[in-house]
Amino acid sequence: VSDATRSPDPGARSWWGWGWESEAVSGDALAGVGALLAARFPRGPSPSEVSVPDPEQLDLPAVRVAPPSSLIGLCATDARSRASHTYGKSFRDVVRALAGDLAAAPDVVARPEREQDLVDLLDWCSGSRLAAIPFGGGSSVVGGVEGGAVRDRFEGVVSIDLTGLSGVVEIDSLSRAARIRGGTYGPALEDGLRAAGLTLRHYPQSFEHSTLGGWIATRSGGHFATNHTHIDDFVESLRLVTPAGTIETRRLPGSGAGPSPDRLFLGSEGTLGVVTEAWVRLQQRPRHRATAAVRFTTFDAGVRAARAVVQSGLFPSNCRLLDPNEAAGMDEKGRSVLLLGFESPSFAVDGLAATALECCLDHGGEAPAGIETSSARGAAGTWRGSFFKAPYLRDAVARLGWVAETFETSVTWSGFDALRAAVDVAVAGVLDPGPAVSCRFTHVYPDGPAPYFTVVAPSRAGRQLEDWQAVKDAASEAILSAGGTITHHHAIGRDHRPWFDRQRPDLFAVSLAAVKDRLDPAGVLNPGVLVG
Amino acid sequence: VSDATRSPDPGARSWWGWGWESEAVSGDALAGVGALLAARFPRGPSPSEVSVPDPEQLDLPAVRVAPPSSLIGLCATDARSRASHTYGKSFRDVVRALAGDLAAAPDVVARPEREQDLVDLLDWCSGSRLAAIPFGGGSSVVGGVEGGAVRDRFEGVVSIDLTGLSGVVEIDSLSRAARIRGGTYGPALEDGLRAAGLTLRHYPQSFEHSTLGGWIATRSGGHFATNHTHIDDFVESLRLVTPAGTIETRRLPGSGAGPSPDRLFLGSEGTLGVVTEAWVRLQQRPRHRATAAVRFTTFDAGVRAARAVVQSGLFPSNCRLLDPNEAAGMDEKGRSVLLLGFESPSFAVDGLAATALECCLDHGGEAPAGIETSSARGAAGTWRGSFFKAPYLRDAVARLGWVAETFETSVTWSGFDALRAAVDVAVAGVLDPGPAVSCRFTHVYPDGPAPYFTVVAPSRAGRQLEDWQAVKDAASEAILSAGGTITHHHAIGRDHRPWFDRQRPDLFAVSLAAVKDRLDPAGVLNPGVLVG
């Protein structure tokens, strides 16, 4: 991860796909992916390349609103701004962008430079019946930052790009906490903490392309595979701007004073307010590491070992179980692999790793390399490198006209086997030839794992979205029926909304709607997401 | 703790004071406490014993309501039922009970036997404008279960005693979780888990006298001094009855699907609904233990050591720093003592304890006995014994006509010194002679400690409540001004309400009120607490 924590040469972010424009799979590499797909699915249609359109050449809907003169300096209506704020980065988004479909573009992209700008923008939106779509890094893979779907219900759609409200403002080294603006990208956040020897150590796959405010709004999952996994646990206090006013919670290490205000806004996906600042809990940078890559003949044996480790009271920072597809190339016998890692700023962790490894060996694991004390090498390092590349590969599949989707959940240990079987059966049934499905655990809890599925399926240009939706529907239905959550860390957005509505208690939806009525009385904040 | 986890011979619970009637300090022991107080405060008024009245002989207000015939079998109006549900167990409550003041008694004490009874009772209360006061173990020390204050605003007050809705219903051993009814007292809960080798291991000081539902409603703090400290982290899902209907959340090890519904109800103190069941996360019973009692010449040095330990990434189950008053009798030189403890069901923890101890020695600590591996003995065991006795001693002080109060908070490490100084100064200034104030840390977090204060002050019968209020006001004001929370684990109730109202963001109060309007439209649930 160390590389990813440094600000890379910025280059340009892709307007149509994941991450950096320069990192997109193209040319021979793209053809290579096509050849691999064709070999894997000999019965499937041939992958065929879609080219990336030039946004300046695409049709954009006419701009319907004019910002007031006081805000005009913050507002852009150029083609590239609007195109790059039309969608997030879900598979559906990428396919629509590649198809040059920008009918969902916002009328205006607003870029507040100070918190007061945001207050003024929300006033304008509330007063003029404009949908206000908070937009951090825009890396949502669930349709969380898209105003197109509600375009016709509003006089206009304003995408509010928050990345101008960025920076580490204040560090409290004694309490190991920092006040950081919501629009700060992951690498800039870590850059701002490095001199103090501190780190948030929160690395969602989108780390380079998402912001602290986005992590908070979506309850993102991060680096740690056990114990404190979500950003929730690292938030000490929050500051939000809502159409009804500003909310700032008190910095507290712990509290029992009523329901937690922070927890009401964590996961609110921009529907109740916009996170402008947070105090977050930091760590010292780790100096001691120990990792092991444990092989299991069956995935089930790996499941039992992962469960035993996390129920033992050990807190590995990594406890990632990969099925043979996910572990491809890591084990010469094609076995499942459990990546175990421990780290600490202050004490050697070999002993803890040895205890965890012993536990795995008791469950039939084999660890040819034993425990390694440098995280940069070994199986874990290899895997981590491919982790940050994976979304670019997904885009390659999209460009080749096929379908790729990832989805994730969490479920009790007692419910996991049935859930996995249900997902496999459901996804296999929707397309012919059936998709390739792989599974890993991203996080594990004493009461259950967080399984993550990757699906790749043959499709044809023109049918991609239909085929993708069929996979999504089947998988989501299977997850819900088997007792899982519709998302463990990808958020709900528009894509997961139908299943979220079945998952949450009805009276909780009523409660959220009541809160929204008070904080966003005009109903302009990210309308259609979560509530209403 | 092992003794406290077994159901004791039930005996009778005290109607006027803490816990078991048989454990109240009386006779020679009470006189002994009086002598100690007199010696400690030679300038104070002499402690003089107040006798405990017989509730059958006291005046109770006339019962104003008649339950419908369908509910009459669940409803009691006898003197002892009403007297024992008039108050919780705060100092103010004890003084009022000892004074024979039962003007605040509920009209009816209802004891639902099934969830449907509770539904029917809430329907009756909503329809007849009766305040419904959820009452678990009734051990609130903050005025959280008292309907007297709103007596005149309602046609009647019904105290709903939930201890009939009790028992461990279902255990999922694979996922290490259990479904447990809200009215289950601590010891019965542990009894129900013991055969499965599992434990919730949540031991608030009220453990024997409070219920799972009460812990959830008040966000109680438990056994673990670091990492997962509050009941919040052990709740996998909840079931509540509200006047608007029943809410059941999904059992999930982790989730990022919108704001957490559980967290909206955790800490809602009976104002939004009544917890009838919860799935809670369990542990295997610990088999390995290692403890140390580290002495520090100054409290400040102990603070630095505790901070270093909790920021190291170690997770001691105990990391309780006692100032010399709290540690009285534990160290022959009258030093501050840091009680360190590690435990595990599955691996030896001596190594972790040694690492933590080394960290303490680096900060000037001394540990004459080194690391001990039996938790029943040593300084930690001694201290734990007195921990569960402490509330009986507080009642003794009340019976002697003096003032005793405990309050607690949490604050960042950078704010702690100023907070402690502010509390000491504020409390010292309100009475003459000034009270004795002692301080310990009950829990510690990477970003700050949870300090707990005990105050004992001379007073006179007739002035006790006034003097207590003066202490409470001064301490609460100091805590709020210094950036602390008005409660880390005692809840808000009526006693902390004025400071909670200053602590929480205004728009969060607006949000909670909006939720209450929907879930409790008649406003009958614990009125006056938290909202409205």
Side-chain angles (χ1 to χ4, degrees), chain A residues 172 174-176 219 227-228 236 250 254-256 258 281 311-312 346 410-411 414 447 480 484-485 487-488 517-518, chain B residues 172 174-176 219 227-228 236 250 253-256 258 281 311-312 346 410 414 447 480 484-485 487 517-518:
Chain A
D172 174 354
L174 198 69
S175 311
R176 270 192 5 192
R219 298 180 67 190
N227 206 9
H228 299 131
E236 191 185 64
R250 190 167 273 232
S255 183
R281 300 182 176 120
Q311 291 188 345
S312 70
S346 38
S410 103
V411 67
S414 56
D447 50 340
L480 258 276
T485 172
T487 177
H488 171 266
D517 279 351
R518 306 290 173 101
Chain B
D172 174 353
L174 199 68
S175 312
R176 270 190 7 191
R219 299 180 67 191
N227 205 8
H228 299 132
E236 191 185 63
R250 191 168 272 232
S255 184
R281 301 183 175 118
Q311 291 187 344
S312 70
S346 38
S410 101
S414 56
D447 50 341
L480 259 276
T485 173
T487 177
D517 279 351
R518 305 290 172 102

Short mmCIF file of all heavy atoms in Angstrom, two decimals, chain A residues 172 174-176 219 227-228 236 250 254-256 258 281 311-312 346 410-411 414 447 480 484-485 487-488 517-518, chain B residues 172 174-176 219 227-228 236 250 253-256 258 281 311-312 346 410 414 447 480 484-485 487 517-518:
data_model
loop_
_atom_site.label_atom_id
_atom_site.label_comp_id
_atom_site.label_asym_id
_atom_site.label_seq_id
_atom_site.Cartn_x
_atom_site.Cartn_y
_atom_site.Cartn_z
N ASP A 172 -3.93 17.01 16.19
CA ASP A 172 -3.77 16.90 17.64
C ASP A 172 -2.95 15.64 17.88
O ASP A 172 -3.49 14.55 18.00
CB ASP A 172 -5.16 16.81 18.30
CG ASP A 172 -5.10 16.56 19.81
OD1 ASP A 172 -3.99 16.33 20.34
OD2 ASP A 172 -6.17 16.58 20.44
N LEU A 174 -1.17 14.59 20.39
CA LEU A 174 -1.32 13.91 21.67
C LEU A 174 -2.51 12.95 21.63
O LEU A 174 -2.44 11.83 22.13
CB LEU A 174 -1.52 14.96 22.78
CG LEU A 174 -1.26 14.49 24.21
CD1 LEU A 174 0.22 14.21 24.43
CD2 LEU A 174 -1.77 15.53 25.20
N SER A 175 -3.61 13.41 21.05
CA SER A 175 -4.82 12.59 20.97
C SER A 175 -4.85 11.78 19.68
O SER A 175 -5.82 11.05 19.44
CB SER A 175 -6.07 13.47 21.04
OG SER A 175 -6.00 14.37 22.11
N ARG A 176 -3.83 11.95 18.87
CA ARG A 176 -3.74 11.20 17.61
C ARG A 176 -5.01 11.36 16.77
O ARG A 176 -5.68 10.38 16.44
CB ARG A 176 -3.50 9.72 17.89
CG ARG A 176 -2.04 9.34 17.96
CD ARG A 176 -1.78 7.87 17.95
NE ARG A 176 -2.98 7.07 17.75
CZ ARG A 176 -3.08 5.77 17.92
NH1 ARG A 176 -2.02 5.10 18.31
NH2 ARG A 176 -4.19 5.12 17.72
N ARG A 219 -19.99 5.11 4.37
CA ARG A 219 -19.49 4.09 5.31
C ARG A 219 -18.51 3.16 4.62
O ARG A 219 -18.70 1.93 4.61
CB ARG A 219 -20.65 3.32 5.93
CG ARG A 219 -21.60 4.19 6.74
CD ARG A 219 -22.75 3.41 7.34
NE ARG A 219 -22.28 2.48 8.36
CZ ARG A 219 -23.02 1.54 8.91
NH1 ARG A 219 -24.28 1.39 8.54
NH2 ARG A 219 -22.54 0.74 9.82
N ASN A 227 -11.75 -6.18 13.38
CA ASN A 227 -11.89 -5.15 14.41
C ASN A 227 -12.47 -3.87 13.80
O ASN A 227 -13.61 -3.91 13.36
CB ASN A 227 -10.54 -4.93 15.10
CG ASN A 227 -10.70 -4.40 16.51
OD1 ASN A 227 -11.82 -4.34 17.03
ND2 ASN A 227 -9.63 -3.98 17.13
N HIS A 228 -11.75 -2.78 13.74
CA HIS A 228 -12.31 -1.55 13.17
C HIS A 228 -12.09 -1.54 11.67
O HIS A 228 -10.98 -1.31 11.21
CB HIS A 228 -11.65 -0.33 13.82
CG HIS A 228 -11.89 -0.29 15.30
ND1 HIS A 228 -10.89 -0.08 16.21
CD2 HIS A 228 -13.02 -0.46 16.02
CE1 HIS A 228 -11.39 -0.11 17.44
NE2 HIS A 228 -12.68 -0.35 17.35
N GLU A 236 -14.18 10.81 14.80
CA GLU A 236 -14.30 11.32 16.17
C GLU A 236 -15.39 12.39 16.25
O GLU A 236 -16.10 12.49 17.23
CB GLU A 236 -12.94 11.90 16.58
CG GLU A 236 -12.82 12.23 18.04
CD GLU A 236 -11.48 12.90 18.33
OE1 GLU A 236 -11.26 14.01 17.80
OE2 GLU A 236 -10.66 12.33 19.06
N ARG A 250 -19.46 17.01 18.79
CA ARG A 250 -18.35 17.23 19.70
C ARG A 250 -17.28 16.15 19.51
O ARG A 250 -17.61 15.00 19.29
CB ARG A 250 -18.92 17.16 21.13
CG ARG A 250 -18.00 17.58 22.23
CD ARG A 250 -18.79 17.77 23.54
NE ARG A 250 -19.33 19.12 23.61
CZ ARG A 250 -19.16 19.96 24.65
NH1 ARG A 250 -18.50 19.55 25.71
NH2 ARG A 250 -19.68 21.16 24.63
N GLY A 254 -15.26 8.60 23.28
CA GLY A 254 -16.35 7.66 23.49
C GLY A 254 -17.48 8.41 24.13
O GLY A 254 -17.26 9.46 24.74
N SER A 255 -18.71 7.94 23.98
CA SER A 255 -19.82 8.64 24.62
C SER A 255 -21.01 7.71 24.75
O SER A 255 -21.16 6.76 23.98
CB SER A 255 -20.21 9.88 23.82
OG SER A 255 -21.25 10.59 24.50
N GLY A 256 -21.83 8.00 25.73
CA GLY A 256 -23.08 7.28 25.90
C GLY A 256 -24.22 8.28 26.00
O GLY A 256 -25.27 7.96 26.56
N GLY A 258 -27.02 9.64 24.63
CA GLY A 258 -28.06 9.53 23.61
C GLY A 258 -27.55 8.79 22.39
O GLY A 258 -26.40 8.36 22.33
N ARG A 281 -9.67 9.67 13.81
CA ARG A 281 -8.70 9.01 14.70
C ARG A 281 -7.58 8.42 13.87
O ARG A 281 -7.83 7.72 12.90
CB ARG A 281 -9.40 7.91 15.49
CG ARG A 281 -10.52 8.45 16.33
CD ARG A 281 -11.23 7.40 17.17
NE ARG A 281 -12.22 8.06 17.98
CZ ARG A 281 -13.53 7.82 17.94
NH1 ARG A 281 -14.00 6.87 17.15
NH2 ARG A 281 -14.36 8.50 18.70
N GLN A 311 -12.27 -15.37 15.59
CA GLN A 311 -12.95 -15.63 16.86
C GLN A 311 -11.97 -15.86 18.00
O GLN A 311 -12.37 -15.99 19.15
CB GLN A 311 -13.91 -16.83 16.72
CG GLN A 311 -15.11 -16.52 15.84
CD GLN A 311 -16.17 -17.62 15.82
OE1 GLN A 311 -15.92 -18.75 16.23
NE2 GLN A 311 -17.37 -17.29 15.33
N SER A 312 -10.69 -15.92 17.67
CA SER A 312 -9.69 -16.19 18.72
C SER A 312 -9.40 -14.97 19.57
O SER A 312 -8.81 -15.08 20.63
CB SER A 312 -8.39 -16.64 18.07
OG SER A 312 -7.79 -15.53 17.40
N SER A 346 4.46 -0.35 17.39
CA SER A 346 5.23 -0.32 18.63
C SER A 346 5.79 -1.64 19.12
O SER A 346 6.63 -1.65 20.00
CB SER A 346 4.38 0.31 19.74
OG SER A 346 3.05 -0.07 19.62
N SER A 410 -22.28 -8.96 3.84
CA SER A 410 -21.78 -9.67 5.01
C SER A 410 -22.94 -10.47 5.57
O SER A 410 -24.11 -10.13 5.36
CB SER A 410 -21.17 -8.71 6.04
OG SER A 410 -22.00 -8.47 7.11
N VAL A 411 -22.60 -11.56 6.21
CA VAL A 411 -23.61 -12.51 6.66
C VAL A 411 -23.01 -13.28 7.83
O VAL A 411 -21.79 -13.33 7.98
CB VAL A 411 -24.00 -13.45 5.48
CG1 VAL A 411 -22.84 -14.36 5.09
CG2 VAL A 411 -25.26 -14.27 5.79
N SER A 414 -23.03 -18.77 10.25
CA SER A 414 -23.99 -19.86 10.06
C SER A 414 -24.77 -19.69 8.77
O SER A 414 -25.32 -20.66 8.25
CB SER A 414 -24.93 -19.98 11.27
OG SER A 414 -25.58 -18.76 11.50
N ASP A 447 -18.66 -12.68 14.18
CA ASP A 447 -19.96 -13.30 13.88
C ASP A 447 -20.20 -13.57 12.40
O ASP A 447 -21.26 -14.09 12.06
CB ASP A 447 -21.12 -12.52 14.51
CG ASP A 447 -21.09 -11.03 14.22
OD1 ASP A 447 -20.01 -10.51 13.86
OD2 ASP A 447 -22.14 -10.38 14.35
N LEU A 480 -30.12 -11.04 -0.48
CA LEU A 480 -31.18 -10.63 0.46
C LEU A 480 -31.90 -11.84 1.05
O LEU A 480 -32.15 -11.92 2.24
CB LEU A 480 -32.20 -9.73 -0.26
CG LEU A 480 -32.07 -8.24 0.01
CD1 LEU A 480 -32.79 -7.84 1.29
CD2 LEU A 480 -30.61 -7.80 0.08
N GLY A 484 -28.12 -11.76 3.92
CA GLY A 484 -27.01 -10.82 3.87
C GLY A 484 -27.47 -9.38 3.83
O GLY A 484 -28.67 -9.09 3.83
N THR A 485 -26.51 -8.48 3.80
CA THR A 485 -26.81 -7.06 3.61
C THR A 485 -26.57 -6.73 2.14
O THR A 485 -25.67 -7.30 1.51
CB THR A 485 -25.93 -6.16 4.50
OG1 THR A 485 -26.15 -4.78 4.12
CG2 THR A 485 -24.43 -6.46 4.34
N THR A 487 -25.22 -4.29 0.97
CA THR A 487 -23.85 -3.80 0.81
C THR A 487 -23.14 -3.76 2.14
O THR A 487 -23.69 -3.33 3.15
CB THR A 487 -23.81 -2.39 0.16
OG1 THR A 487 -22.44 -1.96 0.10
CG2 THR A 487 -24.60 -1.38 0.99
N HIS A 488 -21.90 -4.22 2.10
CA HIS A 488 -21.04 -4.12 3.29
C HIS A 488 -20.19 -2.85 3.24
O HIS A 488 -19.88 -2.27 4.26
CB HIS A 488 -20.14 -5.36 3.37
CG HIS A 488 -19.07 -5.28 4.42
ND1 HIS A 488 -17.79 -4.84 4.14
CD2 HIS A 488 -19.10 -5.57 5.74
CE1 HIS A 488 -17.08 -4.87 5.27
NE2 HIS A 488 -17.84 -5.30 6.25
N ASP A 517 -36.98 15.43 6.18
CA ASP A 517 -37.95 16.53 6.10
C ASP A 517 -37.48 17.76 6.87
O ASP A 517 -37.74 18.89 6.45
CB ASP A 517 -39.30 16.09 6.70
CG ASP A 517 -40.12 15.27 5.72
OD1 ASP A 517 -39.73 15.18 4.53
OD2 ASP A 517 -41.15 14.72 6.15
N ARG A 518 -36.81 17.52 7.99
CA ARG A 518 -36.38 18.67 8.80
C ARG A 518 -35.08 19.28 8.29
O ARG A 518 -34.91 20.49 8.33
CB ARG A 518 -36.16 18.25 10.27
CG ARG A 518 -37.35 17.57 10.91
CD ARG A 518 -38.52 18.53 11.15
NE ARG A 518 -39.68 17.79 11.62
CZ ARG A 518 -40.08 17.72 12.90
NH1 ARG A 518 -39.41 18.37 13.83
NH2 ARG A 518 -41.14 17.01 13.23
N ASP B 172 -26.57 -19.12 18.45
CA ASP B 172 -25.92 -19.52 17.19
C ASP B 172 -24.44 -19.66 17.52
O ASP B 172 -23.68 -18.69 17.47
CB ASP B 172 -26.18 -18.42 16.13
CG ASP B 172 -25.41 -18.67 14.82
OD1 ASP B 172 -24.59 -19.61 14.76
OD2 ASP B 172 -25.65 -17.90 13.87
N LEU B 174 -21.98 -21.19 16.04
CA LEU B 174 -21.03 -21.01 14.94
C LEU B 174 -20.69 -19.53 14.77
O LEU B 174 -19.53 -19.16 14.59
CB LEU B 174 -21.63 -21.56 13.65
CG LEU B 174 -20.64 -21.87 12.53
CD1 LEU B 174 -19.75 -23.05 12.90
CD2 LEU B 174 -21.38 -22.14 11.23
N SER B 175 -21.74 -18.70 14.85
CA SER B 175 -21.54 -17.26 14.68
C SER B 175 -21.28 -16.58 16.02
O SER B 175 -21.14 -15.36 16.08
CB SER B 175 -22.75 -16.62 14.01
OG SER B 175 -23.14 -17.34 12.87
N ARG B 176 -21.29 -17.36 17.07
CA ARG B 176 -21.06 -16.82 18.42
C ARG B 176 -21.98 -15.64 18.71
O ARG B 176 -21.54 -14.52 19.02
CB ARG B 176 -19.60 -16.38 18.56
CG ARG B 176 -18.70 -17.46 19.07
CD ARG B 176 -17.33 -16.98 19.44
NE ARG B 176 -17.18 -15.54 19.39
CZ ARG B 176 -16.04 -14.89 19.48
NH1 ARG B 176 -14.92 -15.54 19.62
NH2 ARG B 176 -16.00 -13.58 19.43
N ARG B 219 -26.79 2.71 26.31
CA ARG B 219 -25.41 2.59 25.82
C ARG B 219 -24.45 2.35 26.98
O ARG B 219 -23.49 3.10 27.18
CB ARG B 219 -24.99 3.83 25.01
CG ARG B 219 -25.84 4.05 23.79
CD ARG B 219 -25.41 5.28 23.01
NE ARG B 219 -24.10 5.10 22.40
CZ ARG B 219 -23.40 6.08 21.84
NH1 ARG B 219 -23.89 7.31 21.80
NH2 ARG B 219 -22.23 5.85 21.31
N ASN B 227 -10.86 -0.77 23.18
CA ASN B 227 -11.43 -1.36 21.98
C ASN B 227 -12.96 -1.37 22.06
O ASN B 227 -13.54 -0.29 22.07
CB ASN B 227 -10.85 -2.76 21.75
CG ASN B 227 -10.90 -3.18 20.28
OD1 ASN B 227 -11.24 -2.37 19.43
ND2 ASN B 227 -10.58 -4.41 19.99
N HIS B 228 -13.63 -2.48 22.16
CA HIS B 228 -15.08 -2.48 22.22
C HIS B 228 -15.52 -2.35 23.67
O HIS B 228 -15.45 -3.31 24.43
CB HIS B 228 -15.63 -3.76 21.60
CG HIS B 228 -15.27 -3.91 20.16
ND1 HIS B 228 -14.75 -5.06 19.63
CD2 HIS B 228 -15.32 -3.02 19.14
CE1 HIS B 228 -14.51 -4.87 18.33
NE2 HIS B 228 -14.84 -3.65 18.01
N GLU B 236 -25.80 -7.14 17.52
CA GLU B 236 -25.82 -7.57 16.12
C GLU B 236 -27.13 -7.17 15.46
O GLU B 236 -27.17 -6.81 14.28
CB GLU B 236 -25.63 -9.08 16.08
CG GLU B 236 -25.37 -9.66 14.71
CD GLU B 236 -25.32 -11.17 14.77
OE1 GLU B 236 -26.35 -11.80 15.11
OE2 GLU B 236 -24.25 -11.75 14.49
N ARG B 250 -31.83 -6.43 10.78
CA ARG B 250 -31.26 -7.66 10.25
C ARG B 250 -29.99 -8.01 11.02
O ARG B 250 -29.21 -7.13 11.37
CB ARG B 250 -30.94 -7.43 8.77
CG ARG B 250 -30.59 -8.65 7.98
CD ARG B 250 -30.60 -8.34 6.49
NE ARG B 250 -31.93 -8.53 5.94
CZ ARG B 250 -32.20 -9.29 4.86
NH1 ARG B 250 -31.24 -9.90 4.23
NH2 ARG B 250 -33.42 -9.42 4.44
N PRO B 253 -23.04 -9.05 10.61
CA PRO B 253 -21.73 -8.85 11.26
C PRO B 253 -21.18 -7.46 11.00
O PRO B 253 -20.49 -6.88 11.83
CB PRO B 253 -20.85 -9.92 10.61
CG PRO B 253 -21.80 -10.94 10.06
CD PRO B 253 -23.03 -10.17 9.66
N GLY B 254 -21.48 -6.91 9.85
CA GLY B 254 -21.03 -5.57 9.48
C GLY B 254 -21.90 -5.11 8.34
O GLY B 254 -22.47 -5.93 7.62
N SER B 255 -22.02 -3.80 8.17
CA SER B 255 -22.84 -3.32 7.06
C SER B 255 -22.47 -1.89 6.73
O SER B 255 -21.99 -1.14 7.57
CB SER B 255 -24.33 -3.41 7.39
OG SER B 255 -25.10 -3.02 6.26
N GLY B 256 -22.71 -1.53 5.48
CA GLY B 256 -22.54 -0.15 5.07
C GLY B 256 -23.80 0.32 4.38
O GLY B 256 -23.75 1.26 3.58
N GLY B 258 -26.56 2.33 4.39
CA GLY B 258 -27.23 3.48 5.00
C GLY B 258 -26.81 3.65 6.44
O GLY B 258 -26.00 2.89 6.96
N ARG B 281 -23.39 -10.22 20.20
CA ARG B 281 -22.15 -10.92 19.85
C ARG B 281 -21.48 -11.44 21.11
O ARG B 281 -21.31 -10.68 22.07
CB ARG B 281 -21.21 -9.96 19.12
CG ARG B 281 -21.85 -9.42 17.86
CD ARG B 281 -20.93 -8.52 17.07
NE ARG B 281 -21.60 -8.15 15.84
CZ ARG B 281 -21.93 -6.91 15.48
NH1 ARG B 281 -21.58 -5.89 16.25
NH2 ARG B 281 -22.57 -6.68 14.36
N GLN B 311 -2.46 3.60 22.90
CA GLN B 311 -2.07 4.03 21.55
C GLN B 311 -1.09 3.07 20.88
O GLN B 311 -0.77 3.22 19.70
CB GLN B 311 -1.46 5.45 21.60
CG GLN B 311 -2.51 6.52 21.92
CD GLN B 311 -1.99 7.94 21.82
OE1 GLN B 311 -0.78 8.17 21.79
NE2 GLN B 311 -2.90 8.90 21.78
N SER B 312 -0.66 2.07 21.63
CA SER B 312 0.32 1.13 21.07
C SER B 312 -0.31 0.12 20.14
O SER B 312 0.37 -0.56 19.39
CB SER B 312 1.01 0.37 22.21
OG SER B 312 0.06 -0.52 22.79
N SER B 346 -8.05 -18.23 23.82
CA SER B 346 -7.34 -19.17 22.95
C SER B 346 -5.83 -19.12 22.96
O SER B 346 -5.20 -20.02 22.45
CB SER B 346 -7.84 -18.98 21.51
OG SER B 346 -8.07 -17.64 21.22
N SER B 410 -15.88 11.51 28.94
CA SER B 410 -14.67 11.19 28.19
C SER B 410 -14.26 12.45 27.46
O SER B 410 -15.08 13.33 27.16
CB SER B 410 -14.88 9.99 27.27
OG SER B 410 -15.10 10.37 25.95
N SER B 414 -5.63 15.51 24.82
CA SER B 414 -5.13 16.89 24.90
C SER B 414 -6.02 17.76 25.78
O SER B 414 -5.58 18.79 26.27
CB SER B 414 -5.00 17.51 23.50
OG SER B 414 -6.23 17.43 22.82
N ASP B 447 -7.75 8.06 21.45
CA ASP B 447 -7.83 9.52 21.41
C ASP B 447 -8.20 10.17 22.73
O ASP B 447 -8.29 11.40 22.78
CB ASP B 447 -8.75 10.01 20.26
CG ASP B 447 -10.11 9.33 20.24
OD1 ASP B 447 -10.26 8.24 20.84
OD2 ASP B 447 -11.04 9.89 19.64
N LEU B 480 -18.67 20.10 30.65
CA LEU B 480 -19.11 20.62 29.35
C LEU B 480 -18.17 21.69 28.82
O LEU B 480 -17.79 21.69 27.65
CB LEU B 480 -20.52 21.20 29.47
CG LEU B 480 -21.66 20.33 28.97
CD1 LEU B 480 -21.84 20.48 27.48
CD2 LEU B 480 -21.44 18.87 29.31
N GLY B 484 -15.75 17.83 27.45
CA GLY B 484 -16.13 16.44 27.69
C GLY B 484 -17.57 16.16 27.27
O GLY B 484 -18.29 17.04 26.81
N THR B 485 -17.96 14.89 27.41
CA THR B 485 -19.36 14.51 27.21
C THR B 485 -20.04 14.47 28.57
O THR B 485 -19.40 14.11 29.57
CB THR B 485 -19.48 13.14 26.50
OG1 THR B 485 -20.87 12.76 26.49
CG2 THR B 485 -18.69 12.04 27.20
N THR B 487 -21.99 12.39 29.60
CA THR B 487 -21.93 11.02 30.12
C THR B 487 -21.23 10.12 29.13
O THR B 487 -21.47 10.19 27.92
CB THR B 487 -23.33 10.45 30.41
OG1 THR B 487 -23.19 9.09 30.85
CG2 THR B 487 -24.23 10.47 29.18
N ASP B 517 -41.70 11.90 16.73
CA ASP B 517 -43.05 12.22 16.24
C ASP B 517 -43.66 11.07 15.45
O ASP B 517 -44.87 10.84 15.50
CB ASP B 517 -43.02 13.46 15.33
CG ASP B 517 -42.97 14.75 16.12
OD1 ASP B 517 -43.14 14.70 17.36
OD2 ASP B 517 -42.76 15.81 15.50
N ARG B 518 -42.80 10.37 14.69
CA ARG B 518 -43.32 9.29 13.85
C ARG B 518 -43.51 7.99 14.64
O ARG B 518 -44.45 7.25 14.38
CB ARG B 518 -42.37 9.01 12.67
CG ARG B 518 -42.05 10.21 11.81
CD ARG B 518 -43.24 10.70 10.98
NE ARG B 518 -42.91 11.96 10.33
CZ ARG B 518 -42.57 12.07 9.05
NH1 ARG B 518 -42.57 11.02 8.27
NH2 ARG B 518 -42.25 13.25 8.54
#
